Amino acid sequence: MEERLARLRVVLVGTTHPGNIGSAARAMKAMGVTDLVLVAPEKFPHADATALASGADDLLANARVVADLADALSDCVWVVGTSARLRTHSVPVLGPDVAANQALGHADEGPVAVVFGREHSGLTNTDLDHCNAFVQVPTVPDFSSLNLAGSVQVMTYALRMAALAGAPVPTTVAAAAQERDPPATQAEMEGLFAHFEQALTTIDVLDPENPRNLMRRLRHLYQRAELSSSEVRMLRGILTHTERGR
Ligand code: SAH
């Protein structure tokens, strides 16, 4: 059980208060989730982080600090973004229990990340574009926002409960085929999206001056599809021929 939890990563994006990083580390350690990645934190390392970690200093010492979210996720096979309010409806919004079950199932295929946003503004739409699914803790509608470390506690608790219950392996087509065809990593997905953008620009489907929402909608479509590595290669092969015009 502990090995499954060890494959889960908590990613905190743009945290303002170092105390919240410490509290999040403490919340994680108690639930057996230990991989912490910080994307451009405002202040870290910091005495407030160490103080509030109260004994979870090892998680802080091992925390990886990266410049942007894509770096935190490049090796991940599944990513779930957390939000108090969800603005998009094109990717599934899950409750914590369902999200935790799916996360553990995917963790059998490779690293899985749960992404948390900034204290004041949460995750941007661009951050959410990296996610395969979204999770919302079902708070009351007129006071929906939890403290950052509080939401890390809720999610890591849900992950531990799912691990204790022996979360099943996922039933998606990609997962069923994974022995022969592993799931695409986020780095492969980013390569696909960059290729789409280039090919669609070449064939004048995408106007860089007026991109509308095309790339965002394509990202959501393909993130939801949980592509395998070979499916990404197939799509890129088609894009290469599309660019050449034959
Ligand atoms: N005003 C911000 C709130 C950010 S709270 C907003 O509306 O998005 C900081 C972070 O805690 C969020 O980015 C999210 O990761 C997490 N969080 C807070 N409340 C949550 C909830 N009800 N469900 C899931 N995550 C939540």
Side-chain angles (χ1 to χ4, degrees), residues 186-240:
Q186 286 299 309
E188 290 171 315
M189 294 301 289
E190 289 305 326
L192 173 65
F193 296 135
H195 202 160
F196 253 115
E197 195 161 359
Q198 178 192 307
L200 294 177
T201 305
T202 304
I203 64 169
D204 291 329
V205 169
L206 184 70
D207 175 2
E209 301 296 312
N210 180 25
R212 302 189 313 277
N213 254 343
L214 186 58
M215 281 314 302
R216 171 150 297 144
R217 293 181 66 209
L218 272 177
R219 290 185 76 104
H220 288 179
L221 168 64
Y222 285 110
Q223 294 283 28
R224 199 168 63 216
E226 297 176 4
L227 301 179
S228 67
S229 259
S230 78
E231 287 166 338
V232 168
R233 286 196 298 279
M234 173 187 74
L235 287 169
R236 293 195 61 166
I238 294 171
L239 290 172
T240 300

Side-chain angles (χ1 to χ4, degrees), residues 10-29 36-54 56-57 59-65 116-119 147-150 152:
V10 166
V11 178
L12 305 183
V13 180
T15 311
T16 310
H17 299 294
N20 274 333
I21 299 175
S23 298
R26 180 182 183 176
M28 289 169 62
K29 185 165 179 170
L36 176 61
V37 177
L38 307 170
V39 180
E42 277 194 20
K43 297 176 201 149
F44 186 81
H46 192 278
D48 289 351
T50 311
L52 281 153
S54 60
D57 318 50
L59 265 73
L60 295 184
N62 291 327
R64 203 151 53 85
V65 178
F116 296 85
R118 300 154 190 86
E119 289 93 333
N147 162 264
L148 173 59
V152 172

Side-chain angles (χ1 to χ4, degrees), residues 24-219:
R26 180 182 183 176
M28 289 169 62
K29 185 165 179 170
M31 294 299 131
V33 177
T34 52
D35 183 11
L36 176 61
V37 177
L38 307 170
V39 180
E42 277 194 20
K43 297 176 201 149
F44 186 81
H46 192 278
D48 289 351
T50 311
L52 281 153
S54 60
D57 318 50
D58 52 331
L59 265 73
L60 295 184
N62 291 327
R64 203 151 53 85
V65 178
V66 297
D68 56 61
L69 183 55
D71 293 339
L73 304 175
S74 60
D75 58 337
C76 289
V77 296
W78 200 70
V79 178
V80 63
T82 62
S83 180
R85 310 168 276 131
L86 283 157
R87 289 148 280 218
T88 168
H89 301 286
S90 48
V91 171
V93 179
L94 311 171
D97 299 3
V98 173
N101 261 289
Q102 293 196 7
L104 274 168
H106 287 288
D108 292 332
E109 305 166 342
V112 163
V114 189
V115 184
F116 296 85
R118 300 154 190 86
E119 289 93 333
H120 297 298
S121 52
L123 293 168
T124 62
N125 282 333
T126 310
D127 296 330
L128 293 171
D129 286 347
H130 293 276
C131 300
N132 298 101
F134 299 143
V135 60
Q136 187 168 20
V137 178
T139 41
V140 294
D142 57 352
F143 197 79
S144 63
S145 178
L146 296 167
N147 162 264
L148 173 59
S151 54
V152 172
Q153 187 72 81
V154 172
M155 285 310 303
T156 51
Y157 172 74
L159 291 164
R160 189 164 186 82
M161 288 304 102
L164 279 169
V169 294
T171 54
T172 57
V173 175
Q178 66 148 322
E179 296 257 307
R180 285 161 284 131
D181 193 6
T185 63
Q186 286 299 309
E188 290 171 315
M189 294 301 289
E190 289 305 326
L192 173 65
F193 296 135
H195 202 160
F196 253 115
E197 195 161 359
Q198 178 192 307
L200 294 177
T201 305
T202 304
I203 64 169
D204 291 329
V205 169
L206 184 70
D207 175 2
E209 301 296 312
N210 180 25
R212 302 189 313 277
N213 254 343
L214 186 58
M215 281 314 302
R216 171 150 297 144
R217 293 181 66 209
L218 272 177
R219 290 185 76 104

